[in-house]
Amino acid sequence: RGWILHHKAEGQGSAHSHAGFLCGLGLRGSLRVMPVADCYKYLRLQHDTTSVAVILGMAASHLGSMDGNLARMCCVHIPSMLPATYSDMEVASPVQCTSVLSLGLLFARSAHRMMTELLVAEIGRRPSDRALHDREGYSVA
């Protein structure tokens, strides 16, 4: 954990490289040691690339675990899975796509019926008035 935070640099260009670093660690399974609280610190920055890297990296590190905290972290970024009172919340399209994909990774090989039905409904959902710009990417996820 300390090693990851030690490699965090300042500045916009370095934010992208740190996001790549986090995603790479996640894809290799090394983000298992990072607490979810640290994930929220990264997500609070509202930097799309970093959000995508953290969400995807954590899901890849916890492949098939059905971790409730990580599932909640993903669901928060999918507007249709939030209560109606949060309908005005804007979430970037790449972050939404990553959240759907990450839920699939978290529940991989679990045969979890409710999550399967939610994801299938989400993938087949018609775009709303605030249409998702990358709808194809969203459906592929």
Side-chain angles (χ1 to χ4, degrees):
R1 175 181 178 232
W3 186 75
I4 294 170
L5 296 175
H6 173 72
H7 283 83
K8 184 177 180 184
E10 300 300 320
Q12 182 68 14
S14 60
H16 291 290
S17 61
H18 188 67
F21 172 71
L22 288 171
C23 189
L25 287 175
L27 293 175
R28 294 190 47 84
S30 301
L31 287 185
R32 236 180 210 292
V33 298
M34 192 161 119
V36 177
D38 285 352
C39 294
Y40 282 109
K41 288 178 185 175
Y42 279 112
L43 294 174
R44 223 175 310 151
L45 299 173
Q46 293 185 341
H47 183 258
D48 291 347
T49 310
T50 303
S51 296
V52 165
V54 168
I55 293 169
L56 182 61
M58 288 297 283
S61 289
H62 293 86
L63 182 68
S65 70
M66 299 189 306
D67 186 299
N69 290 326
L70 294 178
R72 236 175 275 120
M73 181 176 74
C74 293
C75 288
V76 154
H77 294 92
I78 304 172
S80 64
M81 291 189 175
L82 295 174
T85 55
Y86 291 96
S87 63
D88 61 339
M89 193 170 94
E90 291 292 325
V91 179
S93 152
V95 177
Q96 288 183 39
C97 294
T98 301
S99 296
V100 171
L101 177 65
S102 296
L103 279 174
L105 291 174
L106 283 173
F107 287 87
R109 296 183 303 264
S110 69
H112 192 276
R113 183 177 176 148
M114 186 184 84
M115 190 54 69
T116 302
E117 289 173 357
L118 282 171
L119 289 174
V120 168
E122 189 62 33
I123 290 169
R125 184 178 312 283
R126 292 262 183 232
S128 64
D129 292 335
R130 300 173 300 159
L132 204 54
H133 297 295
D134 303 322
R135 185 66 196 177
E136 294 84 12
Y138 195 73
S139 292
V140 169

